[in-house]
Structure formats: C-alpha cells, structure tokens
C-alpha cells in the first residue's frame, strides 16, 4: 500500500523502512535459501518477478510491508545504505474482504546471525502497533508451519493464541484480538518507537535532507569560485566578472542534479 511509503519506524533494535527497489537484490538473494522458502511458505522468484512483487507491495491496497534494518548498524554508520543494514521484513495482509479489521502478519529475520536477539519481537510489535493505530486493525493472525517452534513461541510470547490447525497445510493459526487491555499493553510495548514523520522532521540525517547535505558537500568548488567573483566586483578589482560570477550557480545546479538523480 502507498500509505506507508514515506513512513519509518525507529525502534531500539530495528528500524522499519518501506520496501523499495533498492532492497530487491538483497531480498532476492535471501529468498534463494530453501530453508527460508520452507519457513515462510514462499516460492522462489526470478529477479524480475521480485521487482514486480516489490511494486505490488507498494501499489496494492491490501498489503503493507516494511523492510527490517538492524538499528545498531544503521545508527552506528551514518551514510550506510539501507541495503547494507537489511536483516528481514515484516508484512501485513488485509486478507478478509468481509472484515477490514483483520490483518495477517508475517515476519522474517533472514540473516541467521541476527536471530535470537529480539529483532523479530520488536519488528512484530512495531507492525502490530502500526496496524492498530494507523490501519485500524483490531485482530491479527499468524499462519505458521507447525514445526516452526521459534516462530510459534515468539507469537505466543506476544499474546497470540492458537485458534486452528491444518493437517493439510501443516500449519497452525495463531490469533491476537486487541481488547482494551491488549491495546494498552501494545502501546506500552511500543512507547519507545519513533514514527517516521516526526523522526524525519527532527533529524538532520533524515533521507530527504541527505541530498541537500550532499549538494552542500559536493558543491565546494562553487564556494571557492564565488569569493573570487566578489573580489572582481570590488572597486579596483578586475572588470570582467561575468564568467566567474555565473560559474557558482552552474556548479551548484550540476551537482544538485547529480546528487538528486543518484
Ligand atoms: C521466527 C523469527 C522471526 C524469530 O525472530 P527472532 O528475532 O529470532 O526472535 P526473538 O529473538 O525476538 O525471540 C523471541 C522469542 O521467540 C522464541 N524463540 C526465538 N528463537 C527461538 C529458537 N531458536 N528456539 C525456540 N524459541 C525461540 C523465544 O520464545 C524467544 O523469546 P526468549 O528470547 O525470551 O526466549 C526468526 O527466527 C525467523 O525469521 N526465522 C526464519 C523465518 C521464519 O521462520 N519466519 C516466520 C514465518 S511464520
């Protein structure tokens, strides 16, 4: 869906960012793993199909997805690409046409070295909170392979309860109904989360400012040129100011185009 396309959720262990084409190559690499295909009940896709899937996650109103970044890595290295900090994804499907308050949740911490450290838990909590407060969801379901004990346990710790088991699909369905007390509990569990818009408004590192900073840094030749043009205009300075005087803005424009187009 387009609703979260500019949203960033900043937690202690994870940062959730919208799924963009920048993330597709690494995501595609992950999904070549047969273990991940089995655990997430996914079919292998070609790279082209993965790009099409990313576009459908962006466009389709019944799907909401975030890429999960390792917050520690992401914050420790200003300027690090999101791709280099990716550890997994978390998704919501609004599957039930008759019940728009029900969302099916999925999570994957694809990087094995990042599992068992609380990242999956925080990613799910952040998504539950987003689903509850922004999408108006009051019921969440997770369909999990019956042998996927880590996932079953994690969702149980997050107050999900088993409501069905399918021997055909060899999966169990766990459900969380957001009662008043669960609502309160979820708000408490996620009170540290910073929402993207506020975070973007406050931080000098916010993505839409980075191109501007890039312009400032890369445009240094313009600042060297500009004082010279001022000098030319001083009484007694060289008479011909036009060439140098125009160079500054031209350099700025060029650098801006390069930076913003990157
Ligand atoms: C399942 C998964 C999302 C859990 O994320 P995670 O970051 O590794 O889990 P957390 O560190 O947040 O652990 C939360 C709880 O899950 C349970 N858990 C996690 N790993 C476990 C393991 N290897 N064995 C048993 N329980 C485990 C524990 O109850 C744990 O709580 P505790 O640390 O207090 O004991 C992650 O392992 C994963 O993505 N695996 C591969 C893909 C997958 O199975 N996705 C789910 C599809 S439904």
């Amino acid at each position: 869906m387009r609703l979260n396309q500019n949203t960033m959720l900043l937690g202690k262990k994870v940062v959730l960012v919208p799924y963009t084409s920048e993330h597709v190559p690494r995501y595609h690499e992950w999904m070549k793993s047969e273990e991940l295909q089995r655990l997430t009940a996914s079919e292998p896709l070609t790279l082209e199909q993965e790009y099409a899937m990313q576009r459908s996650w962006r466009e389709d109103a019944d799907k909401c997805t975030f890429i999960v970044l390792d917050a520690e890595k992401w914050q420790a290295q200003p300027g690090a690409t999101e791709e280099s900090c990716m550890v997994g994804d978390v998704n919501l499907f609004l599957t039930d046409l008759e019940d728009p308050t029900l969302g099916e949740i999925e999570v994957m911490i694809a990087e094995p070295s990042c599992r068992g450290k609380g990242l999956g838990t925080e990613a799910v909590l952040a998504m539950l909170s987003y689903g509850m407060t922004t999408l108006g969801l009051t019921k969440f379901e997770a369909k999990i392979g019956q042998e996927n004990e880590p996932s079953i346990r994690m969702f149980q710790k997050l107050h999900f309860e088993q409501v069905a088991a399918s021997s055909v699909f060899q999966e169990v369905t766990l459900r969380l109904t957001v009662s008043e007390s669960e609502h309160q509990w979820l708000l408490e569990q996620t009170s540290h989360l910073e929402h993207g818009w506020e975070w973007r408004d406050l931080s000098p590192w916010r993505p839409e400012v980075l191109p501007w900073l890039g312009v400032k840094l890369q445009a240094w030749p313009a600042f060297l040129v500009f004082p010279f043009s001022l000098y030319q205009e001083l009484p007694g300075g060289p008479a011909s100011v036009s060439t140098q005087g125009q160079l500054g803005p031209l350099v700025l424009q060029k650098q801006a185009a390069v930076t913003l187009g990157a």
Side-chain angles (χ1 to χ4, degrees):
M1 61 175 59
R2 287 196 164 265
L3 191 63
N4 73 327
Q5 68 180 351
N6 293 312
T7 301
M8 176 180 285
L9 301 175
L10 195 66
K12 288 183 183 141
K13 297 182 177 182
V14 297
V15 179
L16 304 193
V17 293
Y19 186 27
T20 68
S21 56
E22 175 198 344
H23 306 123
V24 171
R26 184 141 184 215
Y27 196 91
H28 184 244
E29 279 306 308
W30 285 341
M31 296 317 294
K32 288 179 182 169
S33 152
E34 286 180 10
E35 186 206 17
L36 281 178
Q37 288 171 21
R38 180 174 50 78
L39 290 170
T40 60
S42 305
E43 297 291 324
L45 300 178
T46 64
L47 186 59
E48 286 313 306
Q49 288 170 324
E50 204 68 70
Y51 276 107
M53 187 62 88
Q54 181 268 323
R55 287 193 294 275
S56 95
W57 276 108
R58 168 66 62 94
E59 303 298 331
D60 297 355
D62 60 348
K63 298 179 184 140
C64 178
T65 189
F66 285 101
I67 289 293
V68 181
L69 308 183
D70 178 340
E72 198 180 332
K73 197 170 174 189
W74 193 71
Q75 284 167 331
Q77 304 168 7
T81 61
E82 288 181 6
E83 191 186 15
S84 69
C85 301
M86 287 169 66
V87 295
D89 70 336
V90 59
N91 313 312
L92 273 175
F93 296 93
L94 311 184
T95 42
D96 193 338
L97 291 177
E98 311 216 322
D99 186 356
T101 65
L102 172 67
E104 186 181 326
I105 189 161
E106 285 180 347
V107 63
M108 172 178 77
I109 301 299
E111 294 292 331
S113 63
C114 294
R115 293 185 197 146
K117 297 177 177 173
L119 277 71
T121 298
E122 196 181 48
V124 170
L125 280 168
M127 191 55 137
L128 294 176
S129 167
Y130 185 79
M132 185 177 74
T133 56
T134 308
L135 307 180
L137 303 181
T138 57
K139 293 179 268 324
F140 296 93
E141 281 186 359
K143 293 189 190 303
I144 308 172
Q146 62 192 18
E147 288 174 5
N148 191 345
E149 204 177 315
S151 186
I152 294 172
R153 283 208 192 172
M154 182 184 71
F155 278 101
Q156 283 173 336
K157 280 193 78 175
L158 294 172
H159 299 192
F160 281 68
E161 288 173 2
Q162 185 170 326
V163 290
S166 163
S167 53
V168 178
F169 295 110
Q170 300 200 329
E171 69 180 18
V172 291
T173 301
L174 275 65
R175 177 181 273 236
L176 172 70
T177 301
V178 186
S179 60
E180 187 51 43
S181 60
E182 294 291 4
H183 183 103
Q184 210 43 47
W185 175 78
L186 267 174
L187 292 181
E188 281 161 24
Q189 295 298 309
T190 53
S191 59
H192 62 285
L193 275 186
E194 289 182 54
H195 196 275
W197 287 114
E198 289 158 34
W199 180 83
R200 283 172 195 230
D201 288 346
L202 292 173
S203 168
W205 299 110
R206 61 193 190 267
E208 68 270 29
V209 167
L210 286 177
W212 179 80
L213 283 175
V215 169
K216 293 285 264 192
L217 294 175
Q218 292 184 36
W220 62 269
F223 296 110
L224 291 182
V225 169
F226 190 61
F228 179 63
S229 67
L230 279 181
Y231 159 69
Q232 286 176 312
E233 285 184 297
L234 289 173
S240 58
V241 297
S242 58
T243 312
Q244 292 290 352
Q246 285 165 10
L247 196 52
L250 279 179
V251 172
L252 264 174
Q253 269 176 21
K254 185 167 174 235
Q255 296 290 353
V258 168
T259 310
L260 293 170

